Amino acid sequence: VDESELLTVPDGWKEPAFTREDNPKGLLEESSFATLFPKYREAYLKECWPLVQKALGEHYVNAALDLIEGSMTVTTTKKTFDPYAIIRARDLIKLLARSVPFEQVFRILQDDVACDIIKIGSLVRKRETFIKRRARLLGPKGSTLKALELLTNCYIMVQGNTVSALGPFSGLKEVRKVVLDTMKNIHPIYNIKTLMIKRELAKDPELRTQSWERFLPKFKRKNLKKRKEPKKKNTKKEYTPFPPPQPESQIDKELASGEYFLKERQKKRKQMEEIKAKQADAIKKRQEERNKAFIPPKEKPVVKTKKASSEKKIDIEAIKEKVKNAKKKKLGALPEEEVKLKMAADEKKKKKK
């Protein structure tokens, strides 16, 4: 596609604000929205409600707080000229009910800011798994959530079974994707890495019109844990129409071995012989175990040391002579030959004189 055919938006362009001149006659009908809030949120709403009324009053929208029913209501007035103001007011009271602070909530009244409430409670079956994956979204000391906020320019609030996000449309789209992937057991760090690469690519004007597929990382799933196989495997036997054979009774066994025809004395004698044979085997094994303590251990063979060779004998007499000569010498004294040469040189000098 040619660049000339593409519709491009100039840098720094903003849509003009909606003013009274665009809708001078106002609205025909009165619209209102109401939402409930939890009991623990009551104290905070009491404090910040004057600020809420002031912020909505600038857009000519009335706000009412009912502490008996536990609800917040926003309604349009005759002076309201912006038809979308009531939708923004509805989102404002929804976010306030979901524990988002007013310092962030009042930004929803701007044209380029929107909100998204992602329900995550029904995405995971087990409660324990849901808590773990929700904690993964926050990260250690909220570091993962902070990184996500910086990359998407959105304020994110994780509480209970919902995730509330507030920011530009493009950022909200990325936040929803990351949150849903985290609940599907895809770690948020993978999406954060992709967002960081996209942020750097967006700075390059040449790459704006090109596909970014080649730059983005592709993560593959790895099944690290293999299914454990059971120790006892139940194998199905082949089907046979015939019933299993009848087990042999004690009388059948005695008939087969010939014991049935023996007399009582002979049977008792045979039983006694079997018992004595078992006792003899047990005594023999016990004796062998006792004799093991008297078997001496195997000793290591003695290694003979080699005698010192006669060639490398130390000459003691030569060492004694060296010691004697050293004792005769004084510390710092010259050797005998040098002394003789000095004496001869002195005699020659005297003769010349």
Side-chain angles (χ1 to χ4, degrees):
V1 181
D2 295 332
E3 287 185 10
S4 58
E5 292 179 9
L6 295 169
L7 182 67
T8 54
V9 179
D11 293 332
W13 181 85
K14 280 186 179 182
E15 192 177 345
F18 193 86
T19 58
R20 185 171 282 282
E21 293 172 5
D22 297 317
N23 186 16
K25 293 181 179 180
L27 305 175
L28 292 171
E29 294 291 333
E30 186 183 288
S31 303
S32 65
F33 289 100
T35 186
L36 298 171
F37 60 86
K39 184 73 176 173
Y40 64 84
R41 198 78 178 132
E42 189 179 313
Y44 180 78
L45 290 172
K46 269 186 189 177
E47 288 179 12
C48 71
W49 198 249
L51 298 170
V52 173
Q53 285 177 324
K54 188 182 177 183
L56 291 173
E58 290 174 5
H59 297 269
Y60 304 102
V61 177
N62 286 336
L65 178 68
D66 192 348
L67 298 173
I68 297 164
E69 287 184 5
S71 66
M72 291 179 282
T73 313
V74 286
T75 52
T76 56
T77 60
K78 289 179 181 179
K79 290 182 180 180
T80 310
F81 61 88
D82 187 358
Y84 200 73
I86 189 66
I87 303 296
R88 291 202 190 107
R90 179 202 64 184
D91 292 340
L92 185 140
I93 58 172
K94 269 189 183 180
L95 292 169
L96 279 172
R98 292 181 184 276
S99 300
V100 179
F102 179 75
E103 288 78 14
Q104 296 291 337
V105 167
F106 83 95
R107 286 169 54 211
I108 196 71
L109 300 171
Q110 297 171 16
D111 289 338
D112 57 343
V113 178
C115 75
D116 190 9
I117 294 164
I118 308 154
K119 292 178 181 179
I120 57 173
S122 59
L123 297 174
V124 185
R125 286 183 183 178
K126 291 182 181 177
R127 184 71 183 168
E128 291 175 3
T129 313
F130 168 72
I131 291 162
K132 282 180 183 177
R133 288 181 189 175
R134 188 178 63 183
R136 194 183 290 169
L137 186 64
L138 292 166
K141 295 179 182 178
S143 57
T144 308
L145 197 69
K146 190 70 182 171
L148 201 60
E149 284 181 350
L150 291 168
L151 289 166
T152 56
N153 296 323
C154 293
Y155 175 81
I156 305 163
M157 182 77 181
V158 181
Q159 190 181 30
N161 296 331
T162 57
V163 177
S164 305
L166 183 75
F169 294 98
S170 57
L172 292 174
K173 192 179 175 183
E174 296 293 343
V175 169
R176 179 170 274 274
K177 186 181 177 295
V178 174
V179 170
L180 294 176
D181 283 353
T182 306
M183 290 294 126
K184 289 176 187 173
N185 202 21
I186 299 167
H187 203 281
I189 195 70
Y190 298 130
N191 286 311
I192 286 168
K193 281 184 179 179
T194 310
L195 287 170
M196 287 170 77
I197 293 162
K198 281 181 180 178
R199 195 183 191 182
E200 292 300 317
L201 291 168
K203 291 176 183 177
D204 194 347
E206 292 178 4
L207 294 168
R208 279 186 181 181
T209 54
Q210 295 178 17
S211 178
W212 293 347
E213 288 283 327
R214 55 199 172 127
F215 300 110
L216 300 175
K218 292 175 183 177
F219 302 105
K220 291 181 181 179
R221 282 193 176 188
K222 291 181 181 179
N223 294 329
L224 298 174
K225 287 185 179 179
K226 290 182 180 178
R227 186 177 172 272
K228 289 182 180 179
E229 293 182 358
K231 289 179 181 178
K232 292 180 182 179
K233 290 183 180 180
N234 296 326
T235 53
K236 287 184 178 181
K237 295 176 182 178
E238 291 181 5
Y239 173 74
T240 52
F242 306 105
Q246 188 107 9
E248 290 183 347
S249 63
Q250 191 67 27
I251 295 164
D252 292 336
K253 288 176 184 177
E254 286 179 0
L255 285 166
S257 62
E259 288 180 26
Y260 185 77
F261 303 104
L262 294 173
K263 292 177 183 179
E264 285 294 325
R265 283 183 187 177
Q266 289 172 334
K267 283 181 181 179
K268 284 182 179 179
R269 193 186 298 157
K270 195 178 179 182
Q271 284 176 359
M272 289 299 292
E273 284 173 3
E274 287 176 0
I275 291 163
K276 282 179 181 178
K278 283 180 182 179
Q279 285 176 352
D281 289 337
I283 289 162
K284 193 179 179 181
K285 285 179 182 177
R286 208 177 298 131
Q287 196 65 37
E288 284 175 2
E289 286 179 4
R290 285 177 182 175
N291 291 338
K292 280 179 185 177
F294 299 103
I295 297 165
K298 289 182 180 180
E299 294 181 359
K300 291 179 183 178
V302 180
V303 181
K304 291 181 180 180
T305 53
K306 291 179 181 180
K307 290 181 181 179
S309 58
S310 58
E311 293 176 4
K312 292 181 181 179
K313 282 184 179 179
I314 299 162
D315 194 358
I316 296 164
E317 290 179 1
I319 291 165
K320 284 181 178 178
E321 284 179 8
K322 281 182 181 179
V323 172
K324 281 180 184 179
N325 292 333
K327 282 181 179 179
K328 285 177 184 178
K329 285 180 184 178
K330 289 180 181 178
L331 287 166
L334 295 166
E336 289 180 4
E337 292 176 2
E338 287 184 12
V339 170
K340 286 177 182 179
L341 289 168
K342 267 193 173 187
M343 292 285 285
D346 290 338
E347 284 176 4
K348 281 179 182 179
K349 283 179 182 179
K350 285 178 181 179
K351 282 177 183 180
K352 282 179 182 179
K353 285 178 181 180

